[in-house]
Structure formats: C-alpha cells, structure tokens
Amino acid sequence: QLLAERGLNTAAAPAATADTEDPWSAPCNVQAYILDNSQLRSTDLGIMPRRQPDLAAVAKGAQPIRFGAAVHGTPVEGQGWIRVGKHFLPMEIDGRPILQRAQWLDDDDDVEQDDDQNDDQDDFNDYSQGRGGA
C-alpha cells in the first residue's frame, strides 16, 4: 500500500513455470541490511538494483534504493551480493561496503522470501528515508 502511494509498481509478476523457473528462487535465509553510504560517499541518492549479480546488469524500470533504507534479502553464496525479490544488490562497490547487516531488524515471523515473486519492491523496507547517496 505504501508503495502504491509513492507511485511504485505494485502489480504482481507472473508466476514462474517449469520452463522458466528462476534459478535464484531456492529457499534461503532472509536477512536485514541497511544501505550505507558512509564509506562509498556517493553523491547519488541510492543504488539501482541489478537483474543479476553483475554491476553492469542494472534492472531497467526499477526504482533506486535510497541510502539509509533497510532491505531484506538473501545472501548469494560466495558472490558478495544479496537477492532482494528477483533483483540483486552488491555488498560493496569499488571495495567499499554499502550493505551493513542489521540483525535487530531480522524478524522470522514477519520476514519471508517472496516465493510467488510478487512485486519485488515489497522486499524493500523504509524506501523513503530521504537520505542522499549512489
């Protein structure tokens, strides 16, 4: 509902079929993170999510995630990325960490991976913190 008020896409994505199953959809350990600009010191407002764990693979049509926002995602084993819905965020840029673990925001009862891959923006929390960043 909050996303709709901000004009963000809230339409449900089509469910994956056996032929198009998302290779990243395995059940995982969802964890909370804060998008942090203290070491990167970017002049951008936030970070664009990626289609895959690759900095060049910017997700077209996605909204930037503002610095200071909390996100719930699943670590991509051994790759330095987290998966948030069907998009990805890097743990660091140019060797500088941008995602800080926020264990105090973890809540096993309230935080679940979106198996139906409904709007991935649902996994982004506190989007409108309004603090500046990359």
Side-chain angles (χ1 to χ4, degrees):
Q1 184 179 38
L2 184 60
L3 295 173
E5 291 172 7
R6 295 196 174 107
L8 300 176
N9 181 10
T10 58
T17 65
D19 294 337
T20 61
E21 183 127 359
D22 182 359
W24 303 101
S25 65
C28 299
N29 181 23
V30 177
Q31 300 175 349
Y33 298 85
I34 300 291
L35 192 59
D36 177 29
N37 192 29
S38 64
Q39 293 187 38
L40 185 61
R41 297 178 188 252
S42 173
T43 57
D44 293 333
L45 293 176
I47 298 293
M48 291 297 296
R50 303 314 204 257
R51 296 183 321 272
Q52 58 192 21
D54 177 2
L55 284 175
V58 175
K60 293 182 174 124
Q63 297 292 320
I65 308 307
R66 290 182 179 261
F67 287 114
V71 296
H72 288 94
T74 304
V76 179
E77 191 171 329
Q79 294 193 22
W81 289 77
I82 64 166
R83 178 177 184 242
V84 181
K86 63 182 175 183
H87 289 141
F88 297 86
L89 291 173
M91 296 293 293
E92 62 181 44
I93 294 178
D94 295 332
R96 296 181 179 110
I98 62 165
L99 286 172
Q100 301 295 330
R101 270 293 277 127
Q103 291 179 335
W104 67 93
L105 295 175
D106 287 345
D107 184 346
D108 293 335
D109 294 332
D110 294 334
V111 179
E112 295 180 8
Q113 186 66 21
D114 188 1
D115 292 334
D116 294 333
Q117 291 188 1
N118 289 335
D119 183 27
D120 25 301
Q121 293 291 332
D122 288 340
D123 292 322
F124 297 118
N125 293 327
D126 300 331
Y127 173 75
S128 65
Q129 289 292 319
R131 292 185 248 189

